[in-house]
Amino acid sequence: MKLDNDYYVCTGCALLCDDIGVELEGGKLNKVHTACRKGFAFMKGCSNPMECTVNGERTDMDSSIKEAASILKNAERPLIFGHANSSSGAQKKAIDIARKTNGFIDDTSSFCQGPMVEAIMEGKLKTCTLDDVRHKADVIIYWGADPANSHPRHMSRYSYFPRGKERQRGWEEDRTAITIDVRKSDTAEICGQNGFYQIPVKGDAEFMDAMVSALSGKIPKTSYDLDKKKLLELASILKKAKFGVIFAGLGMVYALDDREPLYKLMDKLNSVSSFHLIPMAGHYNMRGFNQNLFEETGYINRVKFSSGEVLHGPEYSVVEVLRQKAVDAALVIGADPLSSLPRSVVRYLEKIPLIVIDPCQTLTSAKANVTIPCGLVGVETGGSAVRMDGVEIEVKQIVDTDRLSDEEIMTRISEAL
Amino acid sequence: MGFGQFLSAPETKLRIVTYRDVFQDSAKVVSIFGEDYEKLSAVIKLDPKDISKLAIKEGDTLILKNSSGKVIVKALNSGYDNPHTGTAYMVNSPWSNSLVPEDSGVTGVPDFKDFEVIASSAKGEKVTGIKEII
């Protein structure tokens, strides 16, 4: 997808909004137009940028890259983790490094949207693009998802409020928005009382089964209290949908022990109308990593390279390899596991040589032996990324910087190996 | 120094559900070490009945602990219309992640959005700082 020269891409989340206007002053970003609160903060940059350090001492780029390569060379079982906030170019180099070092490679989808992305890439779930949603969707379900907080422009730019080619009367008449969640989120407030279905924590699979019953004209049953009349009304709305979409949030992903109830629901929905599913990926290029690794190995995450062989499974997930202390060094790029994983799991990272590459200081970098600053993709460097719906987006550089791009740093580490 | 400090604070078991908040997330982007991020993260939202049960006032601090860890956070009234006694809400953050059990079950994914803690009054202690967490 090519962009108009006047607009830029926000890499604040996986919506990759490509209508961002900027004003520069003295070669620096002065104003950011159109972005949401989070995107604005992301593009303006953090207040604590990363510096090159080795063992806590400031150093230069060459020394930190040399030390990073040395750690990886000396490791027998390194972990290359992160990638969700990295350009696709850097992700491909990370896969090369993992292969060269017989390492483990995993990303944040391993404890996030991985199951949904995997099902889509294996052709088990019907999907569509956000542009399809904007132009065609008449029934939109936010399931365990709260885009009003996680992706602030989701509803205004794509899913609910815009007038699309086949939805000229907009949300007032042309679209029905529904939230299924364990609490009345800000998104549920927007959907209104009639559009909100509150379920108990981990009640998702049963609700899916109940929806299948209702769509089949049977009385829905659940072990918890459920307004059967309201559920039958929901089934009626879904049957009449011309173009339906389910936005699967982490609330749904974490609640399902397996995907069978979702597959059954999607099969049923597609036997009576037309429904699609889009995973609500959070970080801007998690989906890109999944696609890049899939092209290389046939798997989207949780991979171990072993003398040319590709191993895959839950035992190779970042959570398990840290819990089992199966790795002896780690390179973290475009993620902050000390912030996003259980403390008891990530404590092991402090016991092994740790390299962190990021534009900003993070909790993980505070414990790293080597820190390497990279340019902020979408502001200081360009590249490409994959939106939450699988569409590849080119990202342009806005300002000049002395910093290397994440791809350049990974290339130099790879060469030094 | 009052007599009350020698009495054990009432404890209650809470089921924690985590959520996202754009203001807290934006504060993280600016600085994960910043005061704003701590202020918006080190918080638990409770049902008013649980606030009474714990013998605290809104804005007091609570100790949350389980076998994974312990943090002190500020207690707020959730303001939700529907009662949710026994269930409390925390924004996803290093504070909530300190309490997430490491067991990843059949999916290989820890229960980030659903875990239990024992809560009791922190008797005026300050919230846990980010540097204490790491």
Side-chain angles (χ1 to χ4, degrees):
Chain A
M1 184 178 286
K2 296 282 180 192
L3 297 175
D4 186 293
N5 283 336
D6 293 327
Y7 296 103
Y8 295 91
V9 172
C10 171
T11 50
C13 78
L15 281 182
L16 289 167
C17 294
D18 57 6
D19 59 348
I20 307 299
V22 299
E23 290 179 33
L24 303 181
E25 194 174 293
K28 295 197 169 172
L29 200 58
N30 183 36
K31 288 186 178 169
V32 178
H33 301 291
T34 328
C36 67
R37 184 182 184 91
K38 185 178 167 186
F40 174 82
F42 201 84
M43 293 184 76
K44 288 289 276 185
C46 57
S47 61
N48 43 356
M50 182 90 92
E51 291 174 341
C52 280
T53 66
V54 171
N55 297 323
E57 301 290 327
R58 278 195 206 177
T59 183
D60 54 33
M61 182 62 76
D62 290 344
S63 304
S64 53
I65 286 177
K66 192 176 164 194
E67 183 62 20
S70 167
I71 287 173
L72 293 173
K73 263 192 236 175
N74 291 327
E76 290 177 9
R77 305 173 307 279
L79 166 67
I80 316 295
F81 170 73
H83 319 292
N85 273 337
S86 298
S87 66
S88 289
Q91 293 171 348
K92 289 173 185 167
K93 293 294 173 190
I95 298 166
D96 283 346
I97 290 172
R99 195 187 294 275
K100 274 185 186 172
T101 56
N102 280 323
F104 296 83
I105 187 160
D106 200 7
D107 79 313
T108 53
S109 74
S110 182
F111 50 90
C112 176
Q113 289 282 358
M116 298 299 149
V117 176
E118 186 173 62
I120 287 170
M121 294 190 70
E122 289 173 352
K124 293 176 180 167
L125 286 171
K126 185 174 160 184
T127 192
C128 63
T129 67
L130 289 169
D131 307 284
D132 292 332
V133 174
R134 177 167 54 203
H135 293 304
K136 300 178 191 172
D138 56 348
V139 177
I140 304 106
I141 301 177
Y142 305 101
W143 195 317
D146 181 17
N149 280 288
S150 60
H151 303 77
R153 298 187 70 209
H154 192 283
M155 299 179 91
S156 61
R157 190 161 152 73
Y158 292 109
S159 62
Y160 187 40
F161 295 111
R163 277 153 168 74
K165 283 177 190 163
E166 295 173 29
R167 296 288 165 256
Q168 281 296 302
R169 290 188 291 276
W171 65 277
E172 301 97 319
E173 294 180 43
D174 267 355
R175 299 192 203 264
T176 302
I178 292 152
T179 292
I180 299 167
D181 211 333
V182 297
R183 70 186 180 101
K184 196 171 187 182
S185 63
D186 291 334
T187 301
E189 293 277 359
I190 293 168
C191 294
Q193 197 53 43
N194 289 337
F196 175 46
Y197 294 79
Q198 187 160 8
I199 58 174
V201 177
K202 299 262 168 86
D204 304 57
E206 273 193 67
F207 194 80
M208 287 172 185
D209 289 344
M211 280 174 73
V212 170
S213 294
L215 288 163
S216 309
K218 297 176 190 162
I219 303 292
K221 288 178 190 164
T222 50
S223 62
Y224 49 82
D225 281 344
L226 187 71
D227 184 340
K228 292 185 174 57
K229 192 179 162 206
K230 197 174 169 191
L231 189 58
L232 289 166
E233 285 167 6
L234 174 61
S236 173
I237 292 168
L238 304 186
K239 275 183 191 175
K240 288 178 195 159
K242 291 191 178 73
F243 192 106
V245 60
I246 295 175
F247 287 104
L250 286 177
M252 180 212 276
V253 177
Y254 290 159
L256 296 177
D257 284 342
D258 66 73
R259 288 168 287 194
E260 279 310 311
L262 177 62
Y263 292 154
K264 280 183 194 163
L265 174 62
M266 289 297 285
D267 285 348
K268 186 68 201 171
L269 283 170
N270 281 307
S271 72
V272 294
S273 56
S274 178
F275 264 82
H276 313 78
L277 184 139
I278 296 180
M280 294 284 277
H283 296 112
Y284 83 86
N285 203 19
M286 184 204 82
R287 184 91 190 245
F289 178 78
N290 294 151
Q291 293 190 188
N292 286 324
L293 191 65
F294 190 80
E295 280 169 20
E296 286 281 327
T297 67
Y299 303 108
I300 65 157
N301 58 21
R302 300 177 174 184
V303 157
K304 163 91 170 78
F305 290 102
S306 180
S307 306
E309 202 183 343
V310 175
L311 308 172
H312 165 76
E315 66 272 35
Y316 305 115
S317 74
V318 61
V319 170
E320 280 307 304
V321 298
L322 292 178
R323 277 184 70 199
Q324 303 302 331
K325 301 180 172 52
V327 294
D328 59 356
L331 184 156
V332 173
I333 177 168
D336 186 8
L338 261 72
S339 165
S340 58
L341 279 170
R343 187 76 192 97
S344 50
V345 171
V346 288
R347 202 163 276 131
Y348 179 63
L349 276 177
E350 295 168 32
K351 300 190 188 319
I352 55 176
L354 176 61
I355 305 152
V356 173
I357 301 167
D358 203 282
C360 301
Q361 292 175 42
T362 63
L363 298 190
T364 310
S365 74
K367 301 290 181 187
N369 303 80
V370 178
T371 63
I372 308 176
C374 62
L376 179 61
V377 179
V379 177
E380 296 171 318
T381 64
S384 71
V386 178
R387 211 165 59 180
M388 64 160 67
D389 56 352
V391 172
E392 188 168 353
I393 303 282
E394 283 182 27
V395 179
K396 293 188 298 189
Q397 179 182 359
I398 302 173
V399 299
D400 291 330
T401 181
D402 295 335
R403 291 179 165 200
L404 296 181
S405 71
D406 54 2
E407 184 179 354
E408 287 169 321
I409 291 167
M410 294 300 271
T411 303
R412 286 187 57 183
I413 291 174
S414 182
E415 285 168 358
L417 289 169
Chain B
M1 194 178 287
F3 178 70
Q5 70 171 323
F6 298 109
L7 298 174
S8 61
E11 289 187 339
T12 193
K13 190 188 275 188
L14 294 171
R15 187 176 197 177
I16 304 293
V17 173
T18 61
Y19 64 95
R20 308 274 163 170
D21 175 78
V22 66
F23 295 95
Q24 180 253 11
D25 213 8
S26 304
K28 180 182 182 178
V29 171
V30 174
S31 173
I32 197 165
F33 301 101
E35 280 179 30
D36 282 351
Y37 184 61
E38 177 181 299
K39 196 174 153 190
L40 294 165
S41 300
V43 168
I44 184 167
K45 293 185 176 178
L46 299 158
D47 184 280
K49 279 190 182 165
D50 285 325
I51 292 180
S52 303
K53 202 169 164 184
L54 287 158
I56 57 163
K57 299 188 303 295
E58 185 175 33
D60 285 354
T61 50
L62 274 184
I63 298 172
L64 307 178
K65 60 184 178 185
N66 60 16
S67 58
S68 302
K70 174 183 155 185
V71 290
I72 298 179
V73 297
K74 187 187 269 194
L76 295 178
N77 185 336
S78 72
Y80 292 144
D81 297 337
N82 293 340
H84 55 91
T85 317
T87 299
Y89 299 92
M90 287 181 80
V91 66
N92 177 267
S93 73
W95 283 264
S96 67
N97 285 335
S98 294
L99 301 165
V100 173
E102 67 173 59
D103 180 25
S104 55
V106 291
T107 60
V109 179
D111 264 335
F112 290 99
K113 290 180 85 67
D114 179 24
F115 53 90
E116 284 186 345
V117 298
I118 300 293
S120 60
S121 169
K123 295 186 174 180
E125 278 189 66
K126 284 184 183 171
V127 301
T128 309
I130 190 78
K131 289 190 174 160
E132 296 168 71
I133 286 179
I134 61 165

